[in-house]
Amino acid sequence: MISLSTNVEELPKVGAVYAKKLKKFGIKTIQDLLFYFPARYDDFSEIISIQDARQKIGEAVCVQGVITEIEASHTWKKWLQMTTATIQDQTGEIKIIWFNQPYLAKSLHEDDFVCVAGKVALAKEGIYLNNPVHERINEIGENEELTHTGRIVPVYSETRGVTSRWLRYVIKPLLYRFGEQIQETLPADIIKKYKFLPINEAVWQLHFPESFEHADAAKNRFSFEDLFLIQLKVLKEKIRLMQKKSPSCPMDADLMKNFTDSLPFQLTDSQKKCAFAILKDVEKSVPMSRLLEGDVGSGKTIVATMAALSVVKNKHQVAFMAPTEILAKQHFKSLSGLLKNYNVRIGLLTGKDARIFSAQGGPDSVWEVSKKSFNADLENGQIDIAIGTHSLIQKNVNFKSLGLVIVDEQHRFGVEQRAELTRNKKLVPHLLSMTATPIPRTLALTVYGDLDLSLIDEMPKNRKRVKTIIVEPGQRKEAYEFIKKEVKDGKGVFVIFPKIDSQASKQKELEKKGKIIGSSGAVAGFAVQNYNVPSLSSLAINEVKALKEEYEKLSKDIFPDLRITMLHGKMKAQEKEKIMIDFKNGEIDILLSTSVVEVGVDVPRATIMMIEGAERFGLSQLHQFRGRVGRNDMQSYCFLFTTSPDQLNRRRLKALVESSNGFELAQKDLEIRGPGSLYGTQQWGLPDMAMQGLSNIFLVEKTRTAAKELLEKDPELKEYPELKERLKQFEKRIHFE
Ligand code: ADP
Ligand code: MG
């Protein structure tokens, strides 16, 4: 018996050959095929007379007629095969030219009735329909049951060998046969409450919509469903976590005051508010899951340090994870400084070495230890705060009593990791995740739905706003002169150089392989944030080559007197670190790097950020780059070099000039370039429908409320087996990173 779960291979129209092709889209069963939705539609719903069609040169039209002649031929160059035909209705006749479809002359005959849809064109020989879609009809005036013409026609994203026409031809009869059998996944009261189309109706309307309103209604329903599933996944995880216990670490108000008094500056109000929320969270015995968001330079480290100190004073340990070794070392240094009066032992664990800092050891109190002894110290509780990369919270590293995990710039990594590590444990550490990536509210609610949010939305007072300037090709010289002057004053310069072309093609390749979803508009956004995407390593080679060329240009022609150094992703960590230190200490004037450079590295003497091909980056990314300067009280500058006359790009760069607010910029990116441009979304592999829904805050909030209400009523989804099953499939497919 053929059913929805039958493999498509068993369908006569599909067979083994097509089944293999479909598998590339992730389609195995009939149900999968029915859930393969069109990417867009052609509107051929209005059928007009041939006479009227002849007036619409350059427009797409749909006409019906009888074939009066048809023949296969060749173009004058011989190599292009074509079929020419003439069709006629009561009002007149029109010629048709089909390219590369010689078989049409065999399958269509004189006196056949057809409905055709395509563009009206004008050539020397007269008006004709250029390569239209066609389908056979019984008589003129027939407009029931059309599939490829005479309606809103679905267009699927095609891959070699699977055309939209073929998909329509296969899917439509399947809808008739199995459409009614598709089981509803959404709970009935949700469908009622939001007046959603039932699932089988929605599937129909997505493939063969009655009107664009119907298609939108169907899309809406599935956007809701996908976002709803994400919310269920995320909230279920949260509920699971709430049943665990974490060490309660009561706040010592005097200690905290003492600590903040010891700083050479006053905390901003935002910092205070966030620190307080976090300190209150770790007092509880329910695990904290908090995301601390704040622009680069807003002072997240201090806030994290306060939480760490509080946990340590309660005799628990802290793991502090950074995305790279350079950043881990930087954190090690700042925390050692910040906590030097508090009798805290801080350890640094990186790929090669391990170090320990202890305030009791006198002023030069950092020493190297073996990894083995480092691990032993962790296990017996000698190390209070361990700083490092991923390697810190892995299975073979044991803490005596891990109370808090702090994760810097790793998106969902820490969340997933903690979940993984504590699956079978009662006691779990609190989690503080930090990011400088401004995440629009919709995304925060979706992908970070299980985290509470704290926002540092204020910069330390001593900061001057970075002056951002769009540099036109004619103004380059001027900018270079300015840079020379600044360097003479002892300032440091970052030059960011993109090599997007090879990345763009790589992106296309990945897209083709179905590995990532993405609109090409998102190319830059995707390509530049890949410090931990190994599959893209081959592209780094091209990047290095381009970077070297740029280096030659800068060091020979433009700044022959200045000390310029390159930094790129292919270098060893140690090499990179040495360069960063030299740059920090003023031994290097200009640091030329690819976009792969570590986020968050602190070089206070750097006051100029110069970005080549600025239009190729996403706004959030540019904002991140800009955040590397302006880290002290000197006036800093961000030069956006661009040669692109594209108005859209101009608008984006202007937004950067006008705004220094990361959230505003992320929202702008979302509006101008669509959800595909958002930092990191490609890596999460959100389904298309969910991505589309992301720009709609109301929809996101609705799904969240609905998921909450449902889980409160029925945490195990016992009453909703279809939904439960769908969620299971969904969880397998979606992996947040
Ligand atoms: P980020 O949020 O990017 O991680 P950091 O915590 O590294 O920022 O802070 C950037 C710099 O600002 C550090 O040198 C830090 O000491 C300093 N800083 C933090 N808070 C303040 C403040 N309230 N006033 C002045 N400087 C501050
Ligand atoms: Mg930081």
Side-chain angles (χ1 to χ4, degrees):
M1 252 288 277
I2 292 188
S3 73
L4 278 169
S5 56
T6 301
N7 196 309
V8 284
E9 194 176 337
E10 293 183 32
L11 295 167
K13 280 181 188 164
V14 178
V17 176
Y18 271 103
K20 206 168 146 202
K21 291 178 183 171
L22 289 175
K23 211 167 158 197
K24 291 206 184 108
F25 306 128
I27 297 170
K28 279 192 214 125
T29 63
I30 293 178
Q31 165 125 354
D32 294 339
L33 187 54
L34 293 183
F35 277 81
Y36 186 71
F37 295 137
R40 60 179 186 86
Y41 303 95
D42 279 333
D43 186 3
F44 294 136
S45 52
E46 199 192 349
I47 300 169
I48 60 175
S49 70
I50 289 179
Q51 188 179 28
D52 287 349
R54 297 184 68 91
Q55 310 302 313
K56 297 190 185 259
I57 292 165
E59 290 178 44
V61 301
C62 184
V63 295
Q64 297 185 336
V66 63
I67 298 176
T68 53
E69 57 182 335
I70 183 160
E71 64 171 350
S73 63
H74 291 272
T75 50
W76 51 277
K77 270 197 172 164
K78 283 285 176 203
W79 42 262
L80 193 56
Q81 288 176 309
M82 54 186 213
T83 303
T84 54
T86 303
I87 61 166
Q88 193 181 52
D89 69 4
Q90 296 89 331
T91 67
E93 58 175 34
I94 192 165
K95 208 170 165 179
I96 297 176
I97 302 180
W98 283 293
F99 295 98
N100 278 331
Q101 300 177 63
Y103 46 86
L104 284 180
K106 293 207 183 80
S107 63
L108 293 173
H109 307 100
E110 274 172 33
D111 298 332
D112 281 350
F113 288 97
V114 287
C115 187
V116 291
K119 248 197 187 149
V120 183
L122 177 64
K124 257 196 258 131
E125 299 77 19
I127 293 172
Y128 68 101
L129 279 167
N130 186 3
N131 226 17
V133 199
H134 74 278
E135 82 185 288
R136 222 190 273 262
I137 52 178
N138 294 320
E139 55 184 343
I140 293 179
E142 174 177 321
N143 50 19
E144 293 287 307
E145 276 318 318
L146 292 174
T147 303
H148 309 287
T149 61
R151 60 170 310 123
I152 296 172
V153 179
V155 181
Y156 301 84
S157 24
E158 302 178 4
T159 292
R160 193 173 301 196
V162 184
T163 62
S164 285
R165 187 182 182 90
W166 185 85
L167 283 163
R168 291 191 290 262
Y169 159 77
V170 175
I171 288 174
K172 201 169 182 198
L174 289 175
L175 278 173
Y176 273 112
R177 194 155 156 208
F178 299 105
E180 286 304 309
Q181 292 173 30
I182 299 171
Q183 294 294 317
E184 184 56 71
T185 39
L186 287 178
D189 44 347
I190 288 183
I191 295 199
K192 204 166 137 209
K193 182 166 174 192
Y194 297 113
K195 303 195 176 70
F196 285 137
L197 297 175
I199 195 160
N200 24 43
E201 174 71 12
V203 171
W204 254 111
Q205 294 296 345
L206 264 185
H207 287 292
F208 296 101
E210 255 165 69
S211 67
F212 280 105
E213 287 74 44
H214 282 81
D216 281 344
K219 238 185 251 169
N220 244 340
R221 185 219 130 96
F222 284 111
S223 282
F224 182 97
E225 186 168 323
D226 275 356
L227 288 169
F228 181 62
L229 289 169
I230 294 177
Q231 296 290 355
L232 283 175
K233 166 181 152 77
V234 160
L235 291 175
K236 253 179 61 196
E237 184 58 31
K238 187 168 188 174
I239 291 173
R240 193 185 70 82
L241 205 64
M242 298 295 254
Q243 285 153 0
K244 308 248 169 181
K245 287 228 170 325
S246 288
S248 145
C249 305
M251 172 169 92
D252 177 342
D254 289 336
L255 176 69
M256 287 304 138
K257 179 162 184 329
N258 184 291
F259 174 78
T260 50
D261 287 349
S262 77
L263 298 172
F265 46 75
Q266 287 237 312
L267 291 187
T268 62
D269 288 344
S270 262
Q271 280 173 312
K272 283 185 203 159
K273 220 171 58 207
C274 293
F276 189 72
I278 294 164
L279 291 168
K280 281 287 155 198
D281 272 0
V282 295
E283 281 193 342
K284 296 178 195 143
S285 55
V286 266
M288 166 171 79
S289 303
R290 194 169 275 279
L291 179 66
L292 178 62
E293 250 189 297
D295 258 351
V296 180
S298 61
K300 296 183 288 293
T301 317
I302 303 285
V303 175
T305 306
M306 290 172 75
L309 182 59
S310 194
V311 168
V312 169
K313 281 298 140 180
N314 282 283
K315 307 245 176 330
H316 298 289
Q317 292 164 294
V318 177
F320 194 146
M321 294 202 304
T324 63
E325 296 198 352
I326 298 182
L327 283 170
K329 283 180 184 164
Q330 189 176 298
H331 283 319
F332 178 68
K333 221 172 137 197
S334 9
L335 264 72
S336 300
L338 287 166
L339 297 174
K340 62 177 184 291
N341 300 323
Y342 294 92
N343 189 21
V344 175
R345 273 194 180 223
I346 306 175
L348 173 72
L349 183 68
T350 56
K352 286 233 167 53
D353 51 3
R355 280 177 220 170
I356 289 180
F357 164 88
S358 164
Q360 283 177 320
D364 283 320
S365 45
V366 180
W367 63 90
E368 310 255 335
V369 294
S370 70
K371 271 194 166 173
K372 206 170 146 203
S373 103
F374 189 96
N375 282 339
D377 281 359
L378 272 184
E379 242 176 300
N380 60 31
Q382 296 278 4
I383 295 175
D384 300 307
I385 302 175
I387 301 173
T389 51
H390 291 185
S391 50
L392 257 191
I393 59 164
Q394 253 140 30
K395 285 209 178 80
N396 53 352
V397 182
N398 293 310
F399 288 78
K400 185 176 182 212
S401 170
L402 184 57
L404 170 67
V405 174
I406 300 169
V407 204
D408 196 14
E409 285 302 344
Q410 315 239 326
H411 304 279
R412 284 198 62 90
F413 175 80
V415 183
E416 305 287 322
Q417 198 77 351
R418 177 175 68 168
E420 196 62 33
L421 286 175
T422 57
R423 206 154 284 280
N424 302 311
K425 294 190 183 148
K426 267 228 174 67
L427 203 65
V428 307
H430 295 289
L431 178 85
L432 177 65
S433 185
M434 303 196 286
T435 180
T437 307
I439 302 156
R441 224 174 108 65
T442 47
L443 191 64
L445 281 175
T446 311
V447 178
Y448 294 104
D450 50 347
L451 304 189
D452 297 314
L453 195 67
S454 279
L455 205 62
I456 306 186
D457 52 6
E458 169 183 18
M459 280 298 197
K461 291 205 177 53
N462 59 355
R463 301 286 158 74
K464 287 202 180 72
R465 189 172 162 154
V466 179
K467 277 199 184 130
T468 306
I469 299 143
I470 301 177
V471 182
E472 306 290 345
Q475 302 167 324
R476 265 176 191 261
K477 260 223 162 98
E478 218 177 309
Y480 292 147
E481 287 309 314
F482 183 82
I483 289 173
K484 280 182 195 161
K485 221 177 72 226
E486 288 281 297
V487 170
K488 274 216 183 87
D489 288 348
K491 315 276 176 62
V493 181
F494 282 106
V495 177
I496 303 278
F497 184 78
K499 180 59 190 152
I500 303 294
D501 294 339
S502 60
Q503 289 171 323
S505 52
K506 187 82 190 174
Q507 155 103 5
K508 285 252 161 60
E509 213 175 290
L510 287 177
E511 259 184 51
K512 255 198 224 135
K513 285 188 190 145
K515 292 231 169 73
I516 48 174
I517 41 171
S519 56
S520 338
V523 168
F526 173 72
V528 292
Q529 48 208 259
N530 55 21
Y531 53 81
N532 54 7
V533 183
S535 63
L536 296 179
S537 63
S538 65
L539 108 209
I541 297 165
N542 292 330
E543 233 178 47
V544 171
K545 195 165 152 253
L547 193 72
K548 282 194 177 136
E549 282 164 17
E550 179 70 10
Y551 171 77
E552 295 290 308
K553 194 179 108 197
L554 284 178
S555 56
K556 289 213 178 99
D557 308 341
I558 301 171
F559 302 118
D561 304 334
L562 305 184
R563 295 163 301 174
I564 308 177
T565 301
M566 279 191 290
L567 187 76
H568 56 76
K570 282 264 129 172
M571 287 176 166
K572 296 222 167 63
Q574 273 163 319
E575 213 178 332
K576 285 195 272 189
E577 187 186 2
K578 174 154 191 320
I579 293 173
M580 285 314 296
I581 290 168
D582 287 351
F583 187 44
K584 227 168 156 159
N585 295 337
E587 320 256 332
I588 294 172
D589 301 317
I590 298 181
L591 186 68
L592 169 65
S593 70
T594 55
S595 45
V596 194
V597 149
E598 275 66 20
V599 276
V601 174
D602 211 9
V603 185
R605 62 176 281 275
T607 59
I608 293 181
M609 168 60 65
M610 171 183 142
I611 303 167
E612 282 286 351
E615 73 279 356
R616 302 186 182 182
F617 295 102
L619 282 179
S620 303
Q621 186 73 20
L622 289 169
H623 180 64
Q624 291 254 1
F625 291 151
R626 180 168 64 179
R628 300 215 194 120
V629 296
R631 296 195 140 223
N632 56 25
D633 50 8
M634 291 182 288
Q635 180 60 57
S636 292
Y637 302 86
C638 176
F639 293 126
L640 306 170
F641 284 46
T642 177
T643 49
S644 158
D646 183 338
Q647 280 311 306
L648 208 63
N649 283 329
R650 281 303 148 123
R651 232 172 85 209
R652 292 176 44 231
L653 295 184
K654 270 233 176 77
L656 197 76
V657 172
E658 279 155 18
S659 173
S660 55
N661 179 322
F663 287 90
E664 248 173 61
L665 291 169
Q667 196 62 43
K668 278 249 165 67
D669 245 358
L670 186 64
E671 285 161 19
I672 301 176
R673 300 202 305 167
S677 69
L678 286 177
Y679 190 96
T681 41
Q682 285 84 355
Q683 272 121 299
W684 294 321
L686 289 181
D688 268 348
M689 289 282 179
M691 291 282 283
Q692 288 174 26
L694 271 187
S695 24
N696 183 346
I697 180 78
F698 299 108
L699 187 66
V700 171
E701 276 172 350
K702 269 190 229 164
T703 57
R704 187 165 174 79
T705 314
K708 251 190 193 153
E709 284 172 3
L710 186 69
L711 286 175
E712 270 162 25
K713 247 182 9 209
D714 184 0
E716 296 299 321
L717 302 179
K718 282 199 186 90
E719 309 263 321
Y720 304 93
E722 287 297 333
L723 183 64
K724 192 172 177 172
E725 178 54 31
R726 198 76 202 276
L727 185 60
K728 219 172 90 194
Q729 299 300 328
F730 193 78
E731 280 174 342
K732 265 194 234 155
R733 207 149 47 88
I734 302 295
H735 243 292
F736 296 139
E737 277 170 23

